[in-house]
Every structure is written in structure tokens, then in C-alpha cells.
Amino acid sequence: MARLALQSSDWVSVDDWESQQADWTETVVTMRYHYGHIAAQYHHSKDPPTNEQPASDVPQLKLLCGADFMDTFKVPGLWMDDHVEEVVGRFGLVCVSRGSLQPDRAIHESDLLSRHRQSIFLVREWVHNEISATEIRRALRRGHSVKYLLPDSVIDYIREHNLYTQDSEMKNKDVKLRPLAMQAIQD
């Protein structure tokens, strides 16, 4: 779907590495992979620069997310602290505002996020845009149109593969989110 959505872009690329993995992949593992891939293209070390020694000639990799995603850092057991530490501290975060969510407050209320405040870039939308992947999936599940919210090729792909319907969503109704299941195993 991402490849279809970006087929007209000449500056954004798609890498299917994560979708080719046998199991769910932690965000930090995916970021390490992509950083290593980018660094190799520039013939640099595959290790991201540390906060103590940032390398200005090394390409930067940031996690782009909405404020709703950043709020997931507060969900008990969903993220391991050392993963949040690495994602935010070593790579960085670009967080787009979302409606009434307050990313400044989320940063203030978290010691870990506050410690890495200089690595978190908040993007405030001048025109409020409540469109998110969650809202699009909800609209599809309810049978509402998402025309003009997604490229037609992506809508066709979703329909062809019967994604985000009430039936497809019910298949996973009682399945515990993979990170929470992993946490339960470790405890």
C-alpha cells in the first residue's frame, strides 16, 4: 500500500524490509535497520551518533509520528523504556500535533521524554487536520468513503485484499497486542 501511495513521489521512497520479517518488529529494530542502510550508503558507521558526539555529516533518522502515537509511550507495558530511550535519545522524534492532544504535556509528564526534549521536534498544524490512520481504518470498517483521503490505487488495494472491514477486524478481536504479549512473557 505504501508503494502505491507514493508512486508519484520523486523524493519519498519505500522499503519493505519490515513487512518481509517473519514476525512483528519493534520500532527500534526497524530504525536501527534503516539507519544502518542509510549510513552504509554514505559510508559511515552503522551506529547512530550518540547524544554526546553528534556527527554532523551523518544523515539523521527521525521517527515521524502524530501526537496520538507519542501518547502510546505512556501505555504500561507497550514500550520498553530502553527502546523509548534509544528511539528518542539516539534518533529523535518529529511529532505532528493532533486535535486536542498535548504533546508538550506528554513530554513534561515523562521524565524520559523530558530528558531528551532537544531531540523531539513538535510540528504544529496551522489548519487542524484530524485525519489519521486510525480514523481512516475506522471509516473503512464502518463502510464510509475514504475517497480523496487516500490515493485510488490504495483504496483499490484495500478492497481487493478485504482489509479494515468489520469481519477482518473481528479476526483479531481477542488477540493481545504483540508488545503487550511479549511483555507478559518477560514478566
Side-chain angles (χ1 to χ4, degrees):
M1 282 191 297
R3 205 174 300 296
L4 289 170
L6 296 170
Q7 64 189 2
S8 65
S9 176
D10 59 355
W11 66 280
V12 177
S13 61
V14 175
D15 186 311
D16 63 357
W17 176 84
E18 187 175 7
S19 65
Q20 298 300 317
Q21 302 310 299
D23 197 2
W24 166 79
T25 307
E26 295 161 323
T27 301
V28 71
V29 172
T30 301
M31 292 190 75
R32 288 176 195 149
Y33 165 80
H34 285 293
Y35 186 85
H37 187 72
I38 291 166
Q41 288 178 338
Y42 288 85
H43 307 291
H44 292 289
S45 166
K46 290 187 179 189
D47 295 323
T50 64
N51 289 336
E52 295 79 34
Q53 296 179 329
S56 60
D57 60 336
V58 174
Q60 293 184 17
L61 177 67
K62 308 263 183 239
L63 177 63
L64 173 64
C65 68
D68 54 339
F69 180 90
M70 193 164 78
D71 271 355
T72 68
F73 292 150
K74 296 187 289 188
V75 176
L78 188 59
W79 289 85
M80 293 193 300
D81 285 347
D82 60 325
H83 286 193
V84 177
E85 181 87 35
E86 185 172 355
V87 167
V88 180
R90 294 188 80 193
F91 294 110
L93 199 65
V94 176
C95 180
V96 180
S97 62
R98 265 293 145 71
S100 63
L101 295 173
Q102 300 176 349
D104 286 326
R105 185 179 195 111
I107 294 167
H108 174 74
E109 291 175 351
S110 165
D111 291 342
L112 195 153
L113 294 178
S114 290
R115 194 167 46 252
H116 297 293
R117 176 67 184 95
Q118 76 284 354
S119 298
I120 303 172
F121 301 89
L122 300 179
V123 178
R124 303 215 186 283
E125 295 181 302
W126 293 106
V127 175
H128 290 287
N129 178 351
E130 297 300 318
I131 299 170
S132 69
T134 300
E135 291 302 322
I136 289 174
R137 288 190 302 269
R138 180 177 291 129
L140 289 165
R141 187 175 61 245
R142 294 177 178 173
H144 297 161
S145 174
V146 293
K147 181 92 170 151
Y148 308 114
L149 298 177
L150 299 175
D152 289 343
S153 58
V154 174
I155 294 170
D156 293 341
Y157 180 92
I158 290 169
R159 284 188 183 130
E160 286 172 24
H161 293 88
N162 198 34
L163 301 175
Y164 313 123
T165 64
Q166 189 68 33
D167 290 341
S168 70
E169 296 292 301
M170 291 305 288
K171 288 180 185 175
N172 296 317
K173 180 181 154 223
D174 296 322
V175 175
K176 194 171 194 176
L177 290 174
R178 185 74 170 140
L180 296 174
M182 298 276 292
Q183 184 69 22
I185 291 170
Q186 293 173 355
D187 291 343

